[in-house]
Structures are given as C-alpha cells and as structure tokens.
Amino acid sequence: MNKRVLVTGGAGYIGSHTTVELIKAGYEVIVVDNLSNSDRAVMKGIEQITGISPRFIEADCCDREAMRRIFEEHDFQSVIHFAAFKAVGESVAEPLKYYRNNLVSLLNVVELMVEYKRRNIVFSSSATVYGDADTLPVTELTPRKPATSPYGNTKQMSEDVLRDTAAACDGFASIALRYFNPIGAHPSALIGELPRGVPNNLVPYITQTAAGIRERLSIFGDDYPTADGSCLRDYIDIVDLARAHVVAIERMIEHRNQKRYEVFNVGTGKPVSVFELVHCFEEANNLKLNYAVAPRRAGDVTAVWADTTLANNTLGWHAERELADTLRAAWQWEKSVRGIE
Ligand code: NAD
Ligand code: WQD
C-alpha cells in the first residue's frame, strides 16, 4: 500500500493540522505550499508535535512546470488539495485572482494526476456551496444554490471538475469534503490559525479581542429569525476535521469508494448561534469578552448546519470534541502566538 500523500497548501490552517494527523496515522507527507497565506515556521510546529519533519517544497500549484517536477520526483498515490484563496469578500472585489488561483491550481494537479496515473484526491470544498438552503440541516443531496461569491463559485466548479474527471477516467478517484465552519487549534498550541490583518471569521476575531488586539467584537445582527436573533452555524473542531481527511484517504487507498466521486459533509450536525459561541468561549476560558451588537453583515445566511449521517455511516467518522474544549484550544493558541501567560 502506497502511504505517501502530497498535501498542497499543507502549511496553511487546515493543511497543517491534517499533516499532523496523517503523520500520526503512518503516512509519509510531502507538503507543497507557496506561503502566500502561511509561514514556514508552521513546519517546525508540525515537527515538534509529531517528531517528524515532512518534506517541504515551496512551489506554486499554478506553476505547471514546478508541479510537474514534483510529480516526476515523488511517487505518492494520493493528494489532498488545500491550496486556494479563501476570503469571500476579497473574491467579490478581485474575482480573477480567485478564479485563477483556485481553478488553475486544481486543474494542474488533476491533469498531472491523470498523466502520471496517481489515483486519489481529497478536495477542500465548503458548505458555502449550499448557499441559503431551503431545508435544514443540509444533506449531500440538498441542491447547491447558485454561488453568491466568486470564491463559492470556484468551489462548485472544482467539485464539477472532479466529478467529470472521475466519470471519464477509470484510474482517478476523488472525495470532496464540504467543511462547515472550522475552528480551534491543535491542543498542543504549537499550530493553529494565523489570519493576516483583521480576521473575517468569528473565532479568530474573538480570540484577538480577548488578547486586546481588537477593541470589541461586533455581533453581526440580533434580529434574525432564530431563538436568540443571531445566525446559526456548524462549528467543527480543526483536529476532528483533519481526521476526516485521513479516513477519506484510507477509503480511497483501499478502493472502498466504488463510485470514484463522493461528497461528504464535515460538521458536527449541531447548530450554534453567535451568542452561544461567545458565551461558551467566555465560560470555557473564564473571561469576559467585550462585544456589541452591530448591523447584519451583507451576504450572511441565517442558518446552515450539516446532516452528517453519510460521513458517520460511510466514512465511520464522527466529530468528537466538545465546543468548550475547542474554544479553550483556540484561546491557548492565541495566547501562545501573542506571548500571553
Ligand atoms: P489557508 O489560507 O490557511 O491555507 C491555504 C494554504 O494554501 C496556505 O498555506 C497558502 O499559502 C497556500 N496556497 C494558496 N494558494 C496556493 C498556490 N497556488 N500554490 C501553493 N500554495 C497555495 O486556508 P485554510 O483555512 O487552511 O483552507 C484550506 C482549504 O480549505 C482552502 O481550499 C479553503 O478554501 C478550504 N476551506 C476553508 C474553510 C475555512 O473556513 N477555513 C472552510 C471551507 C473550505
Ligand atoms: C460565522 C458567524 C457571522 C465575525 C465563512 C465563509 C464560508 C467558509 C467558512 C470557506 C456569522 C458572525 C462573524 C464577526 C460576527 N469558508 N460573525 N462577528 O460566514 O459562516 O463562513 O467561513 O469556505 O465560505 O463564508 O463564517 O466565521 O465569518 O461567521 O458576528 O466579527 O459569525 O455573521 O453568523 P461564515 P464566519
């Protein structure tokens, strides 16, 4: 069995945690990253946690010749493709940057996989493909809504590229994992999320507010048709999410995915409101957060959470960590980055 995996975007938030879980499960990992949204120091954190230093190649997945060299020189059978830009708002302002990076990088990887006969790819998709769903929770059969951002569109188009390639090429298989809201950090506090500038996402904004870097958290809307008026999301612990990639790779290596293109929701199945999350963070870490209600944020859907039955039954994967533990890990990580005792 070939237990070598190429992890594109492996120095990033989800990629670094997945690299750790792959190494723990006995895989040999080759990380490719252009460091456009990450720091090389992350590789040190991975080594400190696992005792193993995975091979790191600084390269851009959009650079076809650089990628070809990697395929020439390494005989991995599986790829996990994280490399992409992910800021929804920025993608609206700069659509071509997103279409180029997210689509060209995927096309290069998939074309080279077909050419070099590398069979398996796990792709980072997103709950954003469901948009403002008509029924909740969403299952994998819930229709995708037309994308409301170029970023979301790249995820839909990428899923289609993988589906159509699997249908046409016998020696090619893929699993698209639709992540809900990944949060938290490795419990060692040696790796975690490193947003650049002002965070767009809720949990990094909370931890930076607690650390005194941001003055106050704005809660975007308390007049939604939910029990407490704030939006509902499905917050998935980063280590649980990382483990889902390992079981997806295992499934493909063992050829248990007869259909050769599969999609799985990766969430907890539990809706959590913004107020609930803030209060859980305060209780778990025994501190008070400065926050205030602000107007709704453009583009937010009221609620989205996963039906995870398919991942539970088919992958044998379950979200395990409690929200309070995840929020403790998020705070430990922020403190370690800022040097707070
Ligand atoms: P991240 O920005 O931390 O990681 C992405 C990594 O890819 C970075 O290290 C970046 O330097 C690298 N990269 C980007 N373009 C590249 C290129 N052309 N060549 C080589 N490396 C490149 O983001 P993340 O949160 O870890 O997200 C990973 C994947 O998961 C992305 O595809 C993202 O769209 C998807 N996703 C993320 C979330 C989320 O909330 N974090 C949710 C759903 C899906
Ligand atoms: C969560 C909730 C906000 C910040 C995004 C992408 C999605 C996926 C995951 C990539 C919402 C509220 C937030 C703040 C707040 N990424 N909020 N104050 O928007 O659910 O999903 O990340 O695929 O595509 O859109 O996540 O963390 O930004 O927001 O009140 O300062 O927190 O309104 O209800 P979101 P988020």
Side-chain angles (χ1 to χ4, degrees):
M1 188 192 291
N2 181 323
K3 288 195 84 170
R4 245 171 249 119
V5 184
L6 183 77
V7 178
T8 74
Y13 174 43
I14 307 171
S16 57
H17 290 79
T18 300
T19 297
V20 165
E21 296 307 309
L22 285 166
I23 292 171
K24 276 171 59 186
Y27 289 86
E28 186 184 328
V29 179
I30 303 157
V31 169
V32 178
D33 201 300
N34 65 357
L35 303 178
S36 56
N37 196 37
S38 51
D39 194 305
R40 216 193 149 132
V42 168
M43 303 308 295
K44 248 312 26 61
I46 294 172
E47 185 182 347
Q48 280 176 274
I49 296 169
T50 62
I52 287 174
S53 175
R55 180 183 284 266
F56 176 80
I57 302 170
E58 186 174 343
D60 189 329
C61 297
C62 295
D63 179 343
R64 202 184 162 83
E65 285 320 304
M67 292 305 289
R68 178 179 290 287
R69 278 195 295 278
I70 293 169
F71 275 75
E72 279 286 341
E73 288 166 14
H74 303 277
D75 74 340
F76 51 85
Q77 206 49 49
S78 308
V79 177
I80 306 183
H81 184 61
F82 293 106
F85 294 148
K86 63 168 178 178
V88 175
E90 185 185 59
S91 81
V92 175
E94 296 181 70
L96 290 174
K97 175 174 167 181
Y98 276 69
Y99 284 117
R100 168 161 291 281
N101 193 52
N102 294 8
L103 297 178
V104 173
S105 63
L106 177 80
L107 290 174
N108 279 345
V109 167
V110 170
E111 283 175 351
L112 288 164
M113 285 179 69
V114 171
E115 184 181 335
Y116 285 83
K117 300 193 169 37
R118 311 297 168 89
R119 185 175 186 274
N120 310 314
I121 181 168
V122 176
F123 173 69
S124 299
S125 190
S126 168
T128 196
V129 302
Y130 295 115
D132 200 356
D134 295 328
T135 53
L136 291 166
V138 289
T139 76
E140 291 78 357
L141 297 176
T142 300
R144 296 184 323 192
K145 285 279 180 75
T148 54
S149 71
Y151 168 75
N153 210 14
T154 68
K155 291 299 174 193
Q156 296 199 353
M157 293 164 86
S158 299
E159 285 189 354
D160 295 347
V161 166
L162 295 170
R163 180 201 59 208
D164 296 347
T165 308
C169 306
D170 275 348
F172 180 86
S174 76
I175 289 181
L177 298 179
R178 290 178 179 161
Y179 314 152
F180 281 67
N181 289 59
I183 62 165
H186 194 269
S188 65
L190 290 166
I191 54 171
E193 191 169 7
L194 273 176
R196 293 191 170 168
V198 182
N200 297 310
N201 295 115
L202 179 59
V203 170
Y205 208 104
I206 288 176
T207 56
Q208 290 197 6
T209 305
I213 295 154
R214 309 284 153 210
E215 194 191 335
R216 184 190 303 123
L217 169 76
S218 295
I219 297 194
F220 296 141
D222 68 347
D223 56 352
Y224 284 97
T226 61
D228 65 19
S230 65
C231 294
L232 301 175
R233 295 288 183 275
D234 185 334
Y235 296 95
I236 175 74
D237 180 88
I238 188 68
V239 177
D240 280 338
L241 174 60
R243 284 191 302 102
H245 296 79
V246 179
V247 293
I249 285 287
E250 252 156 31
R251 179 173 173 78
M252 290 200 283
I253 288 180
E254 292 168 7
H255 288 215
R256 281 183 279 125
N257 59 329
Q258 295 300 324
K259 280 193 281 190
R260 289 192 292 102
Y261 173 68
E262 293 178 319
V263 176
F264 295 100
N265 286 343
V266 187
T268 64
K270 292 182 206 137
V272 172
S273 77
V274 180
F275 284 116
E276 284 170 336
L277 189 122
V278 167
H279 294 143
C280 185
F281 179 83
E282 291 183 318
E283 269 169 40
N285 295 303
N286 198 23
L287 48 77
K288 282 278 160 226
L289 199 71
N290 187 16
Y291 65 86
V293 173
R296 291 182 178 194
R297 182 173 71 177
D300 276 342
V301 298
T302 304
V304 62
W305 72 94
D307 181 322
T308 59
T309 310
L310 191 67
N312 300 157
N313 294 347
T314 310
L315 294 176
W317 171 91
H318 294 83
E320 286 171 4
R321 291 194 89 199
E322 295 295 333
L323 183 60
D325 293 330
T326 303
L327 294 174
R328 260 191 287 275
W331 179 226
Q332 290 305 321
W333 165 246
E334 185 73 54
K335 285 197 293 183
S336 98
V337 171
R338 309 292 165 193
I340 300 170
E341 282 303 305

